Amino acid sequence: MKYRVFSLMLAASALSINLYAYSPDDQQGTLYKGLQNLNKLADTMGLDRKQSLGTVGINNLISSFLSPWNEVRINYLIKRTGNIKQVAKDVISGAFANPLFDLSGFAVQKEDFLDLVERSSFLQTYDPKARGVTISDADALFVPTDTPLTKDLAKTANTATDQKSSSTRIPANTPVFIFGQLFDLPAKISPDEDSWFLVWREEFGLKFVRSRHIGRLSQSDIEEFERLVTSKPEIVRTGRVEREFHEDNFKMLMPGTMPLHKNDGTYQLAKRKGQDGEIVQFNNSTWTVYRAKLTPAELYAKDKVKPLDYHIKQAPMNPTIQNYLQELHNRIFRYPNYAGSERNYHWSFAWGEGEAGIDEQHGQDISNFVYKLMLGFGHRLPRYSGHQITEGLSINTITVDYSKDKESHYRTLVEDCTLGRMASFARSAHMVCIGSVSMAQLRLLDSDAATDALNNGMKEEDLVPLVATSPVGFRDVETGNWTIVPKAAIFPIFKTGPYSSWISRKEDFKVFSFFTNSPRLTTKTEL
C-alpha cells in the first residue's frame, strides 16, 4: 500500500500553502506501509530475536554525558579552538553558507547575528561557575534566533521543513558548559526573555541556547548528579514518559533524557529554583543565570499497558536483535506499537531536530536518527553524519566498494548490509541496514512495493535490499529529479528510479558497524 506524503498540507489555509509550497520540480516520495512493521519484517526474514549483533565498539555514554563539567576536557577544547568568539562567528557563518530566509520569504542578514556575537564576551579559561544543566528540553541552534530559517523555497529540492538554523534538541537534565551570554534585548535582564547562552557539549560542539532552559546547580548537587548517573545510568527510550514535580503539572520527557535513579527507587531531575536569575561574575563579565536544584520527580508511563521499565532502560542495553528492532521502532514511530503507523506519515523533517512545518513538530535528520538509535546501547555518537561514518569505519569496516558502479553497490548491499550494520553512499550520508528480501517476500509484505520494484529495474529473481533512513529528499542521479520524503521509515532499494539514488552515486560505497564482531546475518528468502 502506498502513502503519498504531505497530502496533509493541502488542507492548510491558502496562506500556509503559499508559505510551505514545494518547487514544482520536486516529486513526492512513496512510503510503503507494508514495510514499516519491523516485527513482521523480522518474522518474514526468519531473524532470531535473541541473537547478538556484536559488542558496542565505544561505550562513552557517561563520559560524554558529563564532559561539559570536566575541567581537563574544557581546557583542551579552549586550547584547540583558540578564540571562542571567533568560533561562535564561524558557527553562524557556516549556517549561512547559502542565503537564508524566514518563513515569510524575507532574506535574513548574517551580519545582524555576527554583530550580536561581537558585542558579547566569552570565557577563554575554565570556570567552575560556568557548569550548567538543562532544566527543560532546549533547542541548540546554529544561529541565535527563535525564527526558523530556510533555504530559498522557490528552488528545487526544498520544503519549508528544510530549516537550517537548528542543530539538535538537548533533553532536560543534561550537563552543558556555558561559554558566554548574548543579550539580544538589552533593555531587560531576564534569562527567561531576552538572552542566549553559547553552550558546549561533546556531541555537537558550540551552539546557541535560550537561557531560560539553563540553570546552575550547587557544588553538592553536581557531585550527587555525577554519582547517581555513574552508579546506575538509565535512559528514556520512548516519548511516553511523564514527569511530575510535586508542585508542577505533568510534562513529557523526551527520548534520550537521563533521569537520576536513586537506590530507594525514586528519581531526581534538575529543576529551576526561584523565579529570578542569579547574577554571576565571570572574569570581566556579568551573566544572569537561573539557579537549579536536584528535585524528586515522580515518573509515570503514559501507556498503562506498559510498565515504566519498558520506557526507561538501564544503559547500556544488550545489543540483541530484539533490542535493536525495538530501538528502531522507537526512533521511527512516535506512537506506541499498538497505534497505526499511518498516524505517523506527516511528521516533518528538519535538519537536526528543530521545529518544522505547519504542525510545528520536531523532525529528525539521518544523523539524529542514528545518534538516538545507538544511544541506548551506550555509544553517544557525534551529531554530524560525516563524523558518525568516520567513527563507525574506525570501529568496524565491513567492506569498501571502490567500483563506483551501481550494480556492484547493489550486490554489496545484498551481501553485507544486514541488521546491526550501516551503509554509507557518500562522505556525509548513511543509512541503517535491515537486510534483503526476495520478490515473493516483498509481494507478501507490500504488493505495491513489489510492483514498483519490477517497474524500476528489478527482476523476479533479484533480492531487494531494505534500509531505514530519515531523508528530506534524494536526487535521482540518472534523471536529476528530486524526491521529497521527510520521514524516518523503511525504504526498498531498486536499480532504477528514485529509490536507486542511494546506489547510483559515483562514490565509494562502504558498509560498517558501530558493533565489533558484527555478524553477517543469514536470512531466509523463501516463503
Side-chain angles (χ1 to χ4, degrees), residues 260-300:
L260 306 176
H261 198 173
K262 302 184 68 175
N263 290 333
D264 61 5
T266 62
Y267 286 96
Q268 286 192 326
L269 293 168
K271 181 188 176 184
R272 174 174 162 180
K273 180 181 179 182
Q275 297 301 311
D276 299 320
E278 177 184 22
I279 297 176
V280 184
Q281 188 72 32
F282 294 90
N283 297 330
N284 297 323
S285 303
T286 300
W287 301 349
T288 304
V289 190
Y290 281 129
R291 289 173 294 173
K293 181 176 178 57
L294 290 186
T295 306
E298 294 184 59
L299 303 184
Y300 301 85

mmCIF file of all heavy atoms in Angstrom, residues 260-300:
data_model
loop_
_atom_site.group_PDB
_atom_site.id
_atom_site.type_symbol
_atom_site.label_atom_id
_atom_site.label_comp_id
_atom_site.label_asym_id
_atom_site.label_seq_id
_atom_site.Cartn_x
_atom_site.Cartn_y
_atom_site.Cartn_z
ATOM 1 N N LEU A 260 17.918 10.739 37.115
ATOM 2 C CA LEU A 260 18.810 10.188 38.135
ATOM 3 C C LEU A 260 18.029 9.233 39.018
ATOM 4 O O LEU A 260 17.078 9.631 39.705
ATOM 5 C CB LEU A 260 19.413 11.326 38.963
ATOM 6 C CG LEU A 260 20.110 12.427 38.159
ATOM 7 C CD1 LEU A 260 20.588 13.538 39.079
ATOM 8 C CD2 LEU A 260 21.262 11.868 37.341
ATOM 9 N N HIS A 261 18.426 7.958 39.018
ATOM 10 C CA HIS A 261 17.698 6.922 39.753
ATOM 11 C C HIS A 261 18.417 6.639 41.064
ATOM 12 O O HIS A 261 19.552 6.177 41.081
ATOM 13 C CB HIS A 261 17.614 5.653 38.909
ATOM 14 C CG HIS A 261 16.554 4.702 39.380
ATOM 15 N ND1 HIS A 261 16.212 3.563 38.691
ATOM 16 C CD2 HIS A 261 15.749 4.716 40.467
ATOM 17 C CE1 HIS A 261 15.253 2.924 39.327
ATOM 18 N NE2 HIS A 261 14.959 3.604 40.415
ATOM 19 N N LYS A 262 17.746 6.904 42.173
ATOM 20 C CA LYS A 262 18.338 6.673 43.488
ATOM 21 C C LYS A 262 18.130 5.226 43.930
ATOM 22 O O LYS A 262 17.297 4.493 43.386
ATOM 23 C CB LYS A 262 17.734 7.642 44.510
ATOM 24 C CG LYS A 262 17.926 9.116 44.147
ATOM 25 C CD LYS A 262 17.398 10.032 45.225
ATOM 26 C CE LYS A 262 18.238 9.946 46.484
ATOM 27 N NZ LYS A 262 17.806 10.912 47.516
ATOM 28 N N ASN A 263 18.877 4.816 44.938
ATOM 29 C CA ASN A 263 18.797 3.432 45.422
ATOM 30 C C ASN A 263 17.429 3.078 45.982
ATOM 31 O O ASN A 263 17.034 1.909 46.008
ATOM 32 C CB ASN A 263 19.869 3.189 46.491
ATOM 33 C CG ASN A 263 21.269 3.179 45.907
ATOM 34 O OD1 ASN A 263 21.445 2.868 44.738
ATOM 35 N ND2 ASN A 263 22.259 3.520 46.721
ATOM 36 N N ASP A 264 16.690 4.089 46.451
ATOM 37 C CA ASP A 264 15.366 3.808 47.012
ATOM 38 C C ASP A 264 14.286 3.707 45.936
ATOM 39 O O ASP A 264 13.097 3.587 46.261
ATOM 40 C CB ASP A 264 14.993 4.872 48.045
ATOM 41 C CG ASP A 264 14.914 6.276 47.450
ATOM 42 O OD1 ASP A 264 15.057 6.418 46.212
ATOM 43 O OD2 ASP A 264 14.727 7.237 48.227
ATOM 44 N N GLY A 265 14.686 3.768 44.664
ATOM 45 C CA GLY A 265 13.733 3.618 43.569
ATOM 46 C C GLY A 265 13.132 4.909 43.073
ATOM 47 O O GLY A 265 12.383 4.895 42.094
ATOM 48 N N THR A 266 13.435 6.030 43.723
ATOM 49 C CA THR A 266 12.893 7.316 43.290
ATOM 50 C C THR A 266 13.835 7.965 42.270
ATOM 51 O O THR A 266 15.002 7.589 42.138
ATOM 52 C CB THR A 266 12.707 8.260 44.481
ATOM 53 O OG1 THR A 266 13.989 8.516 45.085
ATOM 54 C CG2 THR A 266 11.760 7.653 45.503
ATOM 55 N N TYR A 267 13.292 8.960 41.561
ATOM 56 C CA TYR A 267 14.057 9.679 40.553
ATOM 57 C C TYR A 267 14.255 11.137 40.969
ATOM 58 O O TYR A 267 13.446 11.705 41.720
ATOM 59 C CB TYR A 267 13.339 9.647 39.197
ATOM 60 C CG TYR A 267 13.418 8.319 38.493
ATOM 61 C CD1 TYR A 267 12.387 7.391 38.613
ATOM 62 C CD2 TYR A 267 14.518 7.993 37.698
ATOM 63 C CE1 TYR A 267 12.449 6.171 37.960
ATOM 64 C CE2 TYR A 267 14.585 6.774 37.042
ATOM 65 C CZ TYR A 267 13.550 5.872 37.181
ATOM 66 O OH TYR A 267 13.612 4.665 36.527
ATOM 67 N N GLN A 268 15.329 11.734 40.442
ATOM 68 C CA GLN A 268 15.570 13.157 40.610
ATOM 69 C C GLN A 268 15.880 13.786 39.252
ATOM 70 O O GLN A 268 16.469 13.156 38.382
ATOM 71 C CB GLN A 268 16.739 13.410 41.562
ATOM 72 C CG GLN A 268 16.422 13.154 43.024
ATOM 73 C CD GLN A 268 17.501 13.698 43.946
ATOM 74 O OE1 GLN A 268 18.676 13.703 43.615
ATOM 75 N NE2 GLN A 268 17.096 14.166 45.109
ATOM 76 N N LEU A 269 15.460 15.049 39.103
ATOM 77 C CA LEU A 269 15.751 15.842 37.918
ATOM 78 C C LEU A 269 16.142 17.249 38.355
ATOM 79 O O LEU A 269 15.704 17.727 39.410
ATOM 80 C CB LEU A 269 14.535 15.926 37.000
ATOM 81 C CG LEU A 269 14.067 14.633 36.315
ATOM 82 C CD1 LEU A 269 12.692 14.844 35.704
ATOM 83 C CD2 LEU A 269 15.069 14.203 35.254
ATOM 84 N N ALA A 270 16.960 17.911 37.560
ATOM 85 C CA ALA A 270 17.300 19.314 37.834
ATOM 86 C C ALA A 270 16.094 20.182 37.545
ATOM 87 O O ALA A 270 15.471 20.083 36.487
ATOM 88 C CB ALA A 270 18.485 19.739 36.976
ATOM 89 N N LYS A 271 15.773 21.036 38.496
ATOM 90 C CA LYS A 271 14.604 21.907 38.377
ATOM 91 C C LYS A 271 15.005 23.342 38.698
ATOM 92 O O LYS A 271 15.866 23.587 39.551
ATOM 93 C CB LYS A 271 13.506 21.448 39.343
ATOM 94 C CG LYS A 271 12.238 22.283 39.281
ATOM 95 C CD LYS A 271 11.284 21.895 40.407
ATOM 96 C CE LYS A 271 10.068 22.809 40.396
ATOM 97 N NZ LYS A 271 9.174 22.524 41.540
ATOM 98 N N ARG A 272 14.372 24.274 38.016
ATOM 99 C CA ARG A 272 14.613 25.698 38.281
ATOM 100 C C ARG A 272 14.264 26.026 39.722
ATOM 101 O O ARG A 272 13.232 25.596 40.248
ATOM 102 C CB ARG A 272 13.771 26.529 37.318
ATOM 103 C CG ARG A 272 13.805 28.021 37.549
ATOM 104 C CD ARG A 272 13.032 28.687 36.419
ATOM 105 N NE ARG A 272 12.635 30.046 36.745
ATOM 106 C CZ ARG A 272 11.943 30.838 35.912
ATOM 107 N NH1 ARG A 272 11.583 30.366 34.731
ATOM 108 N NH2 ARG A 272 11.615 32.060 36.267
ATOM 109 N N LYS A 273 15.133 26.809 40.362
ATOM 110 C CA LYS A 273 14.936 27.211 41.755
ATOM 111 C C LYS A 273 14.700 28.715 41.804
ATOM 112 O O LYS A 273 15.589 29.512 41.514
ATOM 113 C CB LYS A 273 16.168 26.840 42.583
ATOM 114 C CG LYS A 273 16.075 27.201 44.055
ATOM 115 C CD LYS A 273 17.356 26.821 44.782
ATOM 116 C CE LYS A 273 17.292 27.204 46.259
ATOM 117 N NZ LYS A 273 18.559 26.875 46.960
ATOM 118 N N GLY A 274 13.490 29.111 42.163
ATOM 119 C CA GLY A 274 13.158 30.535 42.234
ATOM 120 C C GLY A 274 12.736 31.084 40.880
ATOM 121 O O GLY A 274 12.868 30.438 39.840
ATOM 122 N N GLN A 275 12.237 32.313 40.912
ATOM 123 C CA GLN A 275 11.707 32.940 39.705
ATOM 124 C C GLN A 275 12.701 33.873 39.028
ATOM 125 O O GLN A 275 12.553 34.209 37.858
ATOM 126 C CB GLN A 275 10.429 33.731 40.047
ATOM 127 C CG GLN A 275 9.293 32.865 40.557
ATOM 128 C CD GLN A 275 8.881 31.812 39.551
ATOM 129 O OE1 GLN A 275 8.669 32.104 38.385
ATOM 130 N NE2 GLN A 275 8.761 30.567 40.015
ATOM 131 N N ASP A 276 13.716 34.323 39.749
ATOM 132 C CA ASP A 276 14.642 35.303 39.213
ATOM 133 C C ASP A 276 16.003 34.677 38.944
ATOM 134 O O ASP A 276 16.421 33.732 39.613
ATOM 135 C CB ASP A 276 14.816 36.469 40.189
ATOM 136 C CG ASP A 276 13.505 37.195 40.450
ATOM 137 O OD1 ASP A 276 12.738 37.373 39.473
ATOM 138 O OD2 ASP A 276 13.249 37.553 41.607
ATOM 139 N N GLY A 277 16.686 35.231 37.970
ATOM 140 C CA GLY A 277 18.023 34.781 37.672
ATOM 141 C C GLY A 277 19.020 35.245 38.721
ATOM 142 O O GLY A 277 18.790 36.216 39.450
ATOM 143 N N GLU A 278 20.122 34.554 38.801
ATOM 144 C CA GLU A 278 21.191 34.888 39.734
ATOM 145 C C GLU A 278 22.314 35.590 38.961
ATOM 146 O O GLU A 278 22.745 35.118 37.901
ATOM 147 C CB GLU A 278 21.711 33.602 40.380
ATOM 148 C CG GLU A 278 22.871 33.806 41.330
ATOM 149 C CD GLU A 278 23.397 32.487 41.864
ATOM 150 O OE1 GLU A 278 23.170 31.450 41.203
ATOM 151 O OE2 GLU A 278 24.040 32.496 42.920
ATOM 152 N N ILE A 279 22.773 36.713 39.465
ATOM 153 C CA ILE A 279 23.859 37.435 38.818
ATOM 154 C C ILE A 279 25.182 36.771 39.191
ATOM 155 O O ILE A 279 25.498 36.609 40.362
ATOM 156 C CB ILE A 279 23.862 38.913 39.227
ATOM 157 C CG1 ILE A 279 22.570 39.590 38.747
ATOM 158 C CG2 ILE A 279 25.080 39.632 38.644
ATOM 159 C CD1 ILE A 279 22.426 41.029 39.189
ATOM 160 N N VAL A 280 25.941 36.369 38.176
ATOM 161 C CA VAL A 280 27.181 35.638 38.381
ATOM 162 C C VAL A 280 28.307 36.391 37.686
ATOM 163 O O VAL A 280 28.179 36.788 36.521
ATOM 164 C CB VAL A 280 27.083 34.204 37.831
ATOM 165 C CG1 VAL A 280 28.361 33.428 38.146
ATOM 166 C CG2 VAL A 280 25.868 33.492 38.402
ATOM 167 N N GLN A 281 29.414 36.589 38.390
ATOM 168 C CA GLN A 281 30.560 37.296 37.836
ATOM 169 C C GLN A 281 31.541 36.301 37.217
ATOM 170 O O GLN A 281 31.981 35.352 37.856
ATOM 171 C CB GLN A 281 31.280 38.097 38.927
ATOM 172 C CG GLN A 281 32.369 39.025 38.414
ATOM 173 C CD GLN A 281 31.803 40.226 37.678
ATOM 174 O OE1 GLN A 281 30.719 40.710 38.010
ATOM 175 N NE2 GLN A 281 32.534 40.688 36.670
ATOM 176 N N PHE A 282 31.868 36.500 35.942
ATOM 177 C CA PHE A 282 32.858 35.690 35.238
ATOM 178 C C PHE A 282 33.928 36.623 34.689
ATOM 179 O O PHE A 282 33.685 37.361 33.730
ATOM 180 C CB PHE A 282 32.220 34.927 34.073
ATOM 181 C CG PHE A 282 31.225 33.879 34.491
ATOM 182 C CD1 PHE A 282 29.884 34.191 34.641
ATOM 183 C CD2 PHE A 282 31.630 32.587 34.740
ATOM 184 C CE1 PHE A 282 28.964 33.225 35.002
ATOM 185 C CE2 PHE A 282 30.723 31.610 35.110
ATOM 186 C CZ PHE A 282 29.389 31.927 35.256
ATOM 187 N N ASN A 283 35.104 36.601 35.299
ATOM 188 C CA ASN A 283 36.171 37.498 34.868
ATOM 189 C C ASN A 283 35.642 38.924 34.797
ATOM 190 O O ASN A 283 35.206 39.473 35.801
ATOM 191 C CB ASN A 283 36.763 37.042 33.531
ATOM 192 C CG ASN A 283 37.418 35.670 33.622
ATOM 193 O OD1 ASN A 283 37.927 35.295 34.675
ATOM 194 N ND2 ASN A 283 37.406 34.927 32.535
ATOM 195 N N ASN A 284 35.622 39.513 33.614
ATOM 196 C CA ASN A 284 35.125 40.886 33.468
ATOM 197 C C ASN A 284 33.676 40.936 33.004
ATOM 198 O O ASN A 284 33.176 42.008 32.639
ATOM 199 C CB ASN A 284 36.011 41.658 32.475
ATOM 200 C CG ASN A 284 37.436 41.791 32.965
ATOM 201 O OD1 ASN A 284 37.673 41.962 34.166
ATOM 202 N ND2 ASN A 284 38.390 41.714 32.048
ATOM 203 N N SER A 285 32.999 39.805 33.008
ATOM 204 C CA SER A 285 31.624 39.750 32.519
ATOM 205 C C SER A 285 30.665 39.421 33.655
ATOM 206 O O SER A 285 31.018 38.741 34.617
ATOM 207 C CB SER A 285 31.496 38.682 31.423
ATOM 208 O OG SER A 285 32.387 38.930 30.366
ATOM 209 N N THR A 286 29.439 39.905 33.515
ATOM 210 C CA THR A 286 28.364 39.587 34.448
ATOM 211 C C THR A 286 27.247 38.909 33.677
ATOM 212 O O THR A 286 26.714 39.484 32.722
ATOM 213 C CB THR A 286 27.832 40.852 35.145
ATOM 214 O OG1 THR A 286 28.892 41.469 35.875
ATOM 215 C CG2 THR A 286 26.707 40.496 36.106
ATOM 216 N N TRP A 287 26.905 37.683 34.085
ATOM 217 C CA TRP A 287 25.821 36.945 33.447
ATOM 218 C C TRP A 287 24.667 36.783 34.429
ATOM 219 O O TRP A 287 24.843 36.843 35.646
ATOM 220 C CB TRP A 287 26.279 35.555 33.009
ATOM 221 C CG TRP A 287 27.428 35.529 32.053
ATOM 222 C CD1 TRP A 287 27.978 36.581 31.376
ATOM 223 C CD2 TRP A 287 28.182 34.376 31.672
ATOM 224 N NE1 TRP A 287 29.016 36.166 30.598
ATOM 225 C CE2 TRP A 287 29.165 34.806 30.751
ATOM 226 C CE3 TRP A 287 28.112 33.024 32.013
ATOM 227 C CZ2 TRP A 287 30.074 33.931 30.170
ATOM 228 C CZ3 TRP A 287 29.015 32.146 31.422
ATOM 229 C CH2 TRP A 287 29.985 32.595 30.515
ATOM 230 N N THR A 288 23.482 36.581 33.862
ATOM 231 C CA THR A 288 22.310 36.277 34.665
ATOM 232 C C THR A 288 21.862 34.859 34.340
ATOM 233 O O THR A 288 21.489 34.559 33.205
ATOM 234 C CB THR A 288 21.170 37.268 34.387
ATOM 235 O OG1 THR A 288 21.649 38.603 34.605
ATOM 236 C CG2 THR A 288 19.998 37.013 35.316
ATOM 237 N N VAL A 289 21.919 33.978 35.342
ATOM 238 C CA VAL A 289 21.653 32.559 35.132
ATOM 239 C C VAL A 289 20.672 32.077 36.200
ATOM 240 O O VAL A 289 20.761 32.487 37.365
ATOM 241 C CB VAL A 289 22.953 31.721 35.226
ATOM 242 C CG1 VAL A 289 22.703 30.289 34.758
ATOM 243 C CG2 VAL A 289 24.082 32.365 34.432
ATOM 244 N N TYR A 290 19.748 31.229 35.818
ATOM 245 C CA TYR A 290 18.843 30.653 36.802
ATOM 246 C C TYR A 290 19.598 29.710 37.744
ATOM 247 O O TYR A 290 20.553 29.041 37.347
ATOM 248 C CB TYR A 290 17.719 29.870 36.128
ATOM 249 C CG TYR A 290 16.620 30.727 35.575
ATOM 250 C CD1 TYR A 290 16.193 30.565 34.264
ATOM 251 C CD2 TYR A 290 15.994 31.689 36.363
ATOM 252 C CE1 TYR A 290 15.179 31.346 33.741
ATOM 253 C CE2 TYR A 290 14.983 32.482 35.844
ATOM 254 C CZ TYR A 290 14.579 32.302 34.538
ATOM 255 O OH TYR A 290 13.575 33.083 34.034
ATOM 256 N N ARG A 291 19.147 29.644 38.962
ATOM 257 C CA ARG A 291 19.612 28.618 39.884
ATOM 258 C C ARG A 291 18.772 27.357 39.678
ATOM 259 O O ARG A 291 17.612 27.430 39.307
ATOM 260 C CB ARG A 291 19.481 29.103 41.331
ATOM 261 C CG ARG A 291 20.474 30.195 41.708
ATOM 262 C CD ARG A 291 20.188 30.740 43.087
ATOM 263 N NE ARG A 291 18.906 31.451 43.120
ATOM 264 C CZ ARG A 291 18.328 31.912 44.222
ATOM 265 N NH1 ARG A 291 18.910 31.700 45.393
ATOM 266 N NH2 ARG A 291 17.188 32.556 44.168
ATOM 267 N N ALA A 292 19.390 26.228 39.913
ATOM 268 C CA ALA A 292 18.694 24.948 39.755
ATOM 269 C C ALA A 292 18.986 24.071 40.961
ATOM 270 O O ALA A 292 19.971 24.285 41.684
ATOM 271 C CB ALA A 292 19.132 24.258 38.468
ATOM 272 N N LYS A 293 18.131 23.095 41.164
ATOM 273 C CA LYS A 293 18.280 22.192 42.299
ATOM 274 C C LYS A 293 17.807 20.805 41.898
ATOM 275 O O LYS A 293 16.816 20.655 41.177
ATOM 276 C CB LYS A 293 17.459 22.695 43.485
ATOM 277 C CG LYS A 293 17.579 21.829 44.746
ATOM 278 C CD LYS A 293 16.825 22.432 45.904
ATOM 279 C CE LYS A 293 16.890 21.546 47.140
ATOM 280 N NZ LYS A 293 18.283 21.262 47.564
ATOM 281 N N LEU A 294 18.531 19.766 42.350
ATOM 282 C CA LEU A 294 18.048 18.406 42.136
ATOM 283 C C LEU A 294 16.796 18.199 42.970
ATOM 284 O O LEU A 294 16.796 18.408 44.190
ATOM 285 C CB LEU A 294 19.121 17.387 42.534
ATOM 286 C CG LEU A 294 20.349 17.299 41.626
ATOM 287 C CD1 LEU A 294 21.245 16.147 42.059
ATOM 288 C CD2 LEU A 294 19.952 17.132 40.164
ATOM 289 N N THR A 295 15.735 17.776 42.305
ATOM 290 C CA THR A 295 14.414 17.718 42.926
ATOM 291 C C THR A 295 13.770 16.361 42.672
ATOM 292 O O THR A 295 13.833 15.849 41.553
ATOM 293 C CB THR A 295 13.512 18.833 42.338
ATOM 294 O OG1 THR A 295 14.175 20.091 42.481
ATOM 295 C CG2 THR A 295 12.173 18.875 43.057
ATOM 296 N N PRO A 296 13.144 15.752 43.682
ATOM 297 C CA PRO A 296 12.425 14.489 43.449
ATOM 298 C C PRO A 296 11.371 14.659 42.362
ATOM 299 O O PRO A 296 10.659 15.668 42.301
ATOM 300 C CB PRO A 296 11.787 14.183 44.800
ATOM 301 C CG PRO A 296 12.633 14.920 45.790
ATOM 302 C CD PRO A 296 13.088 16.168 45.097
ATOM 303 N N ALA A 297 11.287 13.683 41.472
ATOM 304 C CA ALA A 297 10.340 13.741 40.357
ATOM 305 C C ALA A 297 9.689 12.378 40.192
ATOM 306 O O ALA A 297 10.379 11.385 39.958
ATOM 307 C CB ALA A 297 11.052 14.149 39.072
ATOM 308 N N GLU A 298 8.381 12.338 40.320
ATOM 309 C CA GLU A 298 7.665 11.092 40.055
ATOM 310 C C GLU A 298 7.508 10.923 38.548
ATOM 311 O O GLU A 298 7.105 11.851 37.849
ATOM 312 C CB GLU A 298 6.287 11.130 40.720
ATOM 313 C CG GLU A 298 6.342 11.165 42.246
ATOM 314 C CD GLU A 298 4.960 11.102 42.849
ATOM 315 O OE1 GLU A 298 4.252 10.102 42.585
ATOM 316 O OE2 GLU A 298 4.585 12.041 43.566
ATOM 317 N N LEU A 299 7.856 9.753 38.061
ATOM 318 C CA LEU A 299 7.753 9.458 36.638
ATOM 319 C C LEU A 299 6.671 8.417 36.410
ATOM 320 O O LEU A 299 6.529 7.470 37.185
ATOM 321 C CB LEU A 299 9.094 8.949 36.100
ATOM 322 C CG LEU A 299 10.299 9.874 36.295
ATOM 323 C CD1 LEU A 299 11.538 9.280 35.636
ATOM 324 C CD2 LEU A 299 10.031 11.270 35.760
ATOM 325 N N TYR A 300 5.933 8.609 35.321
ATOM 326 C CA TYR A 300 4.809 7.730 35.024
ATOM 327 C C TYR A 300 4.888 7.279 33.566
ATOM 328 O O TYR A 300 5.313 8.038 32.692
ATOM 329 C CB TYR A 300 3.476 8.467 35.222
ATOM 330 C CG TYR A 300 3.254 8.994 36.618
ATOM 331 C CD1 TYR A 300 3.763 10.234 37.003
ATOM 332 C CD2 TYR A 300 2.536 8.258 37.551
ATOM 333 C CE1 TYR A 300 3.565 10.724 38.288
ATOM 334 C CE2 TYR A 300 2.326 8.739 38.832
ATOM 335 C CZ TYR A 300 2.836 9.965 39.191
ATOM 336 O OH TYR A 300 2.644 10.454 40.468
#
